[in-house]
Amino acid sequence: MASDELPPYPQMIMEAIDGLKQAGGVDKSSISEYIESNYEELPADHADLLTTHLTKMKESGELLLVDDNYLKPGSNAPPAKRGRGRPPKPKDPLAPATTVPAGPPRPRGRPPSSNTPSDAKKAKTSTSSTGRPRGRPRKVKPQQHVETGVEA
């Protein structure tokens, strides 16, 4: 066969997957060997063309890639294994575009205290019903007795 008589690469790839009939799918090298054995006079850049077409078919959904093996969708494909760790959250494409900041960003650090004198006075003057302030009593300083020079 001449290169003009070659079927398109997607058709050759599908024939290779059907012809090899492996349960877990067919890897790229097996597909390449099948095409090389069934078709003569392949182009010099056969490997590059095969890679390009496999990638396009995978992105368009014509093929599935599971464990580096290509499968037809809908075939008895084992489910894709989930990776380790927590799965990522689904991204909502409209959420970041619709959020509008309400105003200037908040300043860093602790907010300033409100200095209201009425609140401060009330807290200090609170006493119980006995007339004593709350808490531990203050230390009493000892008084110094000054003796006069008078003897009795």
Coordinates of all heavy atoms in Angstrom, one line a residue, residues 1 11 17 19-20 37 52 56 62 75 78 84 86-87 93 102 104 110 112 114 132 138 142 144 150:
M1 N 0.8 -1.2 0.0 CA 0.0 0.0 0.0 C 0.9 1.2 0.0 O 1.8 1.3 0.7 CB -0.9 0.0 1.3 CG -2.0 -0.9 1.3 SD -2.9 -0.5 2.8 CE -3.9 -1.9 2.9
Q11 N -8.7 5.6 12.6 CA -9.3 4.3 12.2 C -8.3 3.2 12.4 O -8.7 2.1 12.9 CB -9.7 4.4 10.7 CG -10.3 3.1 10.2 CD -10.6 3.2 8.7 OE1 -10.7 4.3 8.1 NE2 -10.9 2.1 8.1
I17 N -6.9 -1.6 18.6 CA -7.5 -1.9 19.9 C -8.5 -3.0 19.8 O -8.5 -3.9 20.6 CB -8.2 -0.6 20.5 CG1 -7.1 0.4 20.8 CG2 -9.0 -0.9 21.7 CD1 -7.7 1.8 21.2
G19 N -8.4 -5.4 17.4 CA -7.6 -6.6 17.0 C -6.9 -7.2 18.2 O -6.7 -8.4 18.3
L20 N -6.4 -6.4 19.1 CA -5.6 -6.9 20.2 C -6.4 -7.5 21.3 O -6.0 -8.4 22.0 CB -4.6 -5.9 20.7 CG -3.5 -5.5 19.7 CD1 -2.7 -4.3 20.1 CD2 -2.5 -6.6 19.4
S37 N 2.8 -3.8 11.7 CA 2.7 -5.1 11.1 C 1.6 -5.3 10.0 O 1.7 -6.1 9.1 CB 2.5 -6.2 12.2 OG 1.2 -6.0 12.8
T52 N 0.3 12.0 18.6 CA -0.6 13.1 18.5 C -2.1 12.7 18.4 O -3.0 13.2 19.0 CB -0.2 13.9 17.2 OG1 1.1 14.3 17.3 CG2 -1.1 15.1 17.0
K56 N -5.3 13.4 20.9 CA -6.5 14.0 20.5 C -7.7 13.2 20.8 O -8.7 13.6 21.2 CB -6.4 14.3 19.0 CG -5.5 15.5 18.6 CD -5.6 15.7 17.1 CE -4.6 16.8 16.7 NZ -4.6 17.0 15.3
E62 N -13.0 9.8 22.6 CA -13.1 8.6 21.8 C -12.3 7.5 22.5 O -12.7 6.3 22.3 CB -12.5 8.9 20.4 CG -13.3 9.9 19.6 CD -12.6 10.1 18.3 OE1 -12.5 9.1 17.5 OE2 -12.2 11.2 18.0
S75 N -16.5 0.1 27.2 CA -16.1 -1.3 27.3 C -15.9 -1.7 28.7 O -16.1 -0.8 29.6 CB -14.7 -1.5 26.5 OG -13.7 -0.7 27.2
P78 N -12.0 -1.2 33.9 CA -12.0 -1.1 35.4 C -12.1 0.4 35.8 O -11.7 1.3 35.1 CB -10.6 -1.7 35.8 CG -9.8 -1.5 34.6 CD -10.7 -1.6 33.4
R84 N -4.3 8.9 46.6 CA -4.2 9.0 48.0 C -4.6 10.4 48.5 O -4.4 11.4 47.8 CB -2.8 8.7 48.5 CG -2.4 7.2 48.2 CD -1.1 7.0 48.7 NE -1.0 7.1 50.1 CZ 0.1 7.1 50.8 NH1 1.2 6.9 50.2 NH2 0.1 7.2 52.1
R86 N -7.2 13.4 50.5 CA -8.5 13.9 50.3 C -8.7 14.4 48.9 O -7.9 15.1 48.3 CB -8.7 15.1 51.3 CG -10.1 15.6 51.4 CD -10.1 16.7 52.4 NE -11.5 17.1 52.6 CZ -11.9 17.7 53.6 NH1 -11.1 18.0 54.6 NH2 -13.2 18.1 53.7
P87 N -9.9 14.1 48.3 CA -10.1 14.6 46.9 C -10.3 16.1 46.9 O -10.7 16.7 47.9 CB -11.4 13.9 46.5 CG -12.0 13.5 47.8 CD -11.0 13.3 48.8
P93 N -16.8 27.7 38.5 CA -16.1 28.7 37.6 C -16.8 30.0 37.8 O -16.1 31.0 37.5 CB -16.3 28.1 36.2 CG -17.5 27.2 36.3 CD -17.5 26.6 37.7
A102 N -16.7 44.3 49.3 CA -17.7 45.3 49.9 C -17.1 46.6 50.2 O -17.8 47.6 50.2 CB -18.3 44.7 51.2
P104 N -13.0 48.7 51.4 CA -11.6 48.5 51.5 C -11.3 47.4 52.5 O -12.1 47.0 53.3 CB -11.1 49.9 52.2 CG -12.3 50.4 52.8 CD -13.5 50.0 52.0
R110 N -5.0 43.9 65.8 CA -6.1 44.0 66.7 C -6.9 45.3 66.5 O -6.3 46.3 66.4 CB -5.6 43.8 68.1 CG -6.7 43.7 69.2 CD -6.0 43.4 70.5 NE -7.1 43.1 71.4 CZ -6.9 42.5 72.6 NH1 -5.6 42.1 72.9 NH2 -7.8 42.2 73.4
P112 N -8.8 48.7 67.4 CA -8.6 49.6 68.6 C -9.8 49.5 69.6 O -10.9 49.2 69.2 CB -8.6 51.0 67.9 CG -9.3 50.8 66.6 CD -9.1 49.4 66.2
S114 N -12.6 50.6 72.3 CA -13.5 51.7 72.4 C -13.3 52.3 73.8 O -13.5 51.7 74.8 CB -14.9 51.3 72.2 OG -15.3 50.4 73.2
R132 N -18.2 46.1 100.4 CA -16.8 45.9 100.2 C -16.6 45.7 98.7 O -17.5 45.2 98.0 CB -16.4 44.6 100.9 CG -16.4 44.7 102.4 CD -15.8 43.4 102.9 NE -15.9 43.4 104.3 CZ -15.7 42.3 105.1 NH1 -15.4 41.2 104.5 NH2 -15.8 42.4 106.4
R138 N -6.5 44.8 99.5 CA -5.2 45.4 99.3 C -4.3 45.2 100.6 O -4.8 45.1 101.7 CB -5.2 46.9 99.0 CG -6.0 47.2 97.7 CD -5.2 48.2 97.0 NE -5.9 48.4 95.7 CZ -5.2 48.2 94.5 NH1 -4.0 47.8 94.5 NH2 -5.8 48.5 93.4
P142 N 2.4 48.8 107.0 CA 2.5 49.0 108.5 C 2.9 50.5 108.8 O 3.7 51.1 108.1 CB 3.7 48.1 108.9 CG 4.4 47.8 107.6 CD 3.4 48.0 106.5
Q144 N 4.7 53.4 110.9 CA 5.9 53.5 111.7 C 5.6 54.4 112.9 O 5.0 55.5 112.8 CB 7.0 54.1 110.9 CG 7.5 53.2 109.8 CD 8.6 53.8 109.0 OE1 9.0 54.9 109.3 NE2 9.1 53.1 108.0
V150 N 10.7 61.9 124.9 CA 10.2 62.1 126.3 C 10.2 60.8 127.0 O 9.7 59.8 126.5 CB 8.8 62.7 126.3 CG1 8.3 62.9 127.7 CG2 8.8 64.0 125.5

